[in-house]
Amino acid sequence: MRIMNHYCRLFIFGMVLLSLVAVDTVIAQHETTTKQDVDAKGLMGVPADVRSPAEITRSTLDRWVPPDVDAMPLPVASSASCSLPNVVSQTGLRVEELVHNLDRFSATEVIQHQSVNHSGNLQRPEIQKFNYVYSMREGSDGYMISEENRDRGRSPSEFPDQIATIGSPGLILVFHPNYIKNFRMSCEGLGTWGSQPAWQIRFEELPDCLHRMSMIIIDGKSYDIRLRGIAWILEDSYQVAHLEIDLAETIPKIRLRLDHQAIEYLPVSFPESDTTIWLPSSAELYMDFRGHRFYRRHTYTNFKLFSVSVQQQFGGPR
């Protein structure tokens, strides 16, 4: 079974690839839309479909999962006025810069995987380490193209519990100008992330979106996943510092009731090339589908640009 986040044509970026006996499943984040003129009219200022905490389907056995994004407290500064079009536009420029500057990077990836028992308790962690390479670029036709490789191949059997997590860096493309029209967005206001002022932006994929950010493939059959979430975007630099994501709707056919993701981004400095790029430092996944419940954390260190033999130096959020 595969669970992945993926985008761009048949290339995948994302969260999980899980393989079980006689089952092949993929959960993926993906951008597959072609380039188009960005006209966000109708999205800007339109509130996301925010449900009250009473309507959120967390059970008493879900204590191992963080709160649903609709139940998270989001204190804001009453004196700060949020211009959603400006925040989204400036953030889109930062994401375009990422695509332009990135090409490829390598890193050491540590995966911590924990199954969840019937009582809702996390089991003993299984830990694996990989040499990881990720590339992302925009094709001439406007598609985002990415690839992800690990030193022990792509077979799910190489991962803890035969679950492979794939392509977390691509989730930031929620804010890429080519794909912003696929989302309904609203601004909660100016809050903080890591003690830094940060705009809190809610987003939700539109129900009639043709190309979803995520999908699951089981036994060759694909199931699109519609996502909603919150982004913390630093006020001074418009860099995405954190993403928190949940399902916008469940998929009863495969009993997908929970898919919570949390991705942390930090500036990575490459001194010899005088380059600083915001990259994921960690990605967490909490899943419940087809009777499988598990928590997984990816941690990335020792970054190198593909053409530069210099290890990264993490900086604190500016």
Side-chain angles (χ1 to χ4, degrees):
M1 182 184 304
R2 304 180 183 184
I3 309 172
M4 305 176 292
N5 294 332
H6 73 273
Y7 63 88
C8 14
R9 294 177 182 160
L10 298 179
F11 295 94
I12 40 185
F13 70 86
M15 287 317 296
V16 183
L17 169 71
L18 187 149
S19 186
L20 300 173
V21 177
V23 179
D24 189 18
T25 304
V26 180
I27 300 181
Q29 250 62 304
H30 59 91
E31 271 80 53
T32 52
T33 55
T34 56
K35 190 172 183 178
Q36 53 191 319
D37 293 335
V38 178
D39 179 6
K41 293 179 181 178
L43 293 183
M44 304 301 100
V46 176
D49 182 16
V50 179
R51 297 174 296 160
S52 69
E55 297 174 303
I56 295 167
T57 56
R58 289 281 199 267
S59 74
T60 56
L61 295 180
D62 290 333
R63 56 182 176 271
W64 57 282
V65 186
D68 185 283
V69 294
D70 288 351
M72 289 181 175
L74 298 175
V76 298
S78 58
S79 59
S81 176
C82 179
S83 170
L84 182 63
N86 181 65
V87 173
V88 171
S89 174
Q90 294 296 321
T91 304
L93 291 176
R94 300 291 84 79
V95 175
E96 286 185 296
E97 290 173 359
L98 170 65
V99 175
H100 176 74
N101 293 329
L102 184 56
D103 188 21
R104 298 185 184 186
F105 72 83
S106 65
T108 299
E109 178 188 45
V110 176
I111 298 177
Q112 173 186 322
H113 176 86
Q114 292 177 265
S115 298
V116 180
N117 65 19
H118 294 295
S119 300
N121 296 317
L122 292 170
Q123 300 300 287
R124 182 187 300 271
E126 181 178 353
I127 298 174
Q128 290 191 357
K129 182 184 291 187
F130 296 90
N131 293 321
Y132 174 87
V133 178
Y134 184 86
S135 66
M136 178 169 61
R137 64 184 176 85
E138 183 176 342
S140 59
D141 57 1
Y143 282 94
M144 300 304 301
I145 301 173
S146 75
E147 290 188 82
E148 182 175 89
N149 293 283
R150 293 173 173 87
D151 56 346
R152 278 175 276 170
R154 297 185 177 185
S155 170
S157 63
E158 302 292 338
F159 293 79
D161 202 21
Q162 297 187 355
I163 300 174
T165 309
I166 298 176
S168 305
L171 283 168
I172 199 171
L173 292 174
V174 167
F175 290 95
H176 192 283
N178 289 6
Y179 311 112
I180 197 69
K181 291 176 70 173
N182 293 333
F183 293 87
R184 178 188 298 118
M185 294 190 175
S186 65
C187 184
E188 292 289 316
L190 185 65
T192 60
W193 187 262
S195 77
Q196 300 295 308
W199 299 111
Q200 297 169 151
I201 305 297
R202 287 191 182 273
F203 57 89
E204 181 174 327
E205 282 185 285
L206 298 173
D208 57 353
C209 173
L210 295 178
H211 303 286
R212 296 284 176 82
M213 288 289 291
S214 284
M215 67 185 299
I216 299 181
I217 302 173
I218 302 178
D219 291 337
K221 297 179 181 179
S222 61
Y223 303 86
D224 285 336
I225 300 175
R226 191 163 69 89
L227 300 178
R228 59 190 164 86
I230 304 171
W232 282 260
I233 298 170
L234 299 185
E235 180 191 27
D236 60 350
S237 64
Y238 295 99
Q239 296 286 356
V240 177
H242 187 77
L243 291 174
E244 205 89 17
I245 299 172
D246 271 297
L247 292 171
E249 56 194 11
T250 61
I251 305 179
K253 190 169 184 179
I254 56 174
R255 289 181 286 152
L256 176 64
R257 60 169 294 270
L258 179 63
D259 180 359
H260 183 95
Q261 301 178 46
I263 303 173
E264 185 86 5
Y265 296 87
L266 286 174
V268 182
S269 135
F270 302 91
E272 285 193 4
S273 62
D274 193 27
T275 302
T276 298
I277 303 176
W278 282 70
L279 296 173
S281 62
S282 65
E284 296 176 282
L285 175 68
Y286 305 77
M287 290 210 68
D288 183 349
F289 75 106
R290 301 190 82 182
H292 302 284
R293 294 193 296 169
F294 59 86
Y295 162 77
R296 171 163 290 185
R297 178 183 175 88
H298 291 243
T299 304
Y300 303 95
T301 58
N302 302 321
F303 286 92
K304 297 179 184 179
L305 288 180
F306 189 78
S307 59
V308 181
S309 58
V310 179
Q311 290 191 357
Q312 103 291 353
Q313 296 178 355
F314 266 122
R318 294 194 296 272

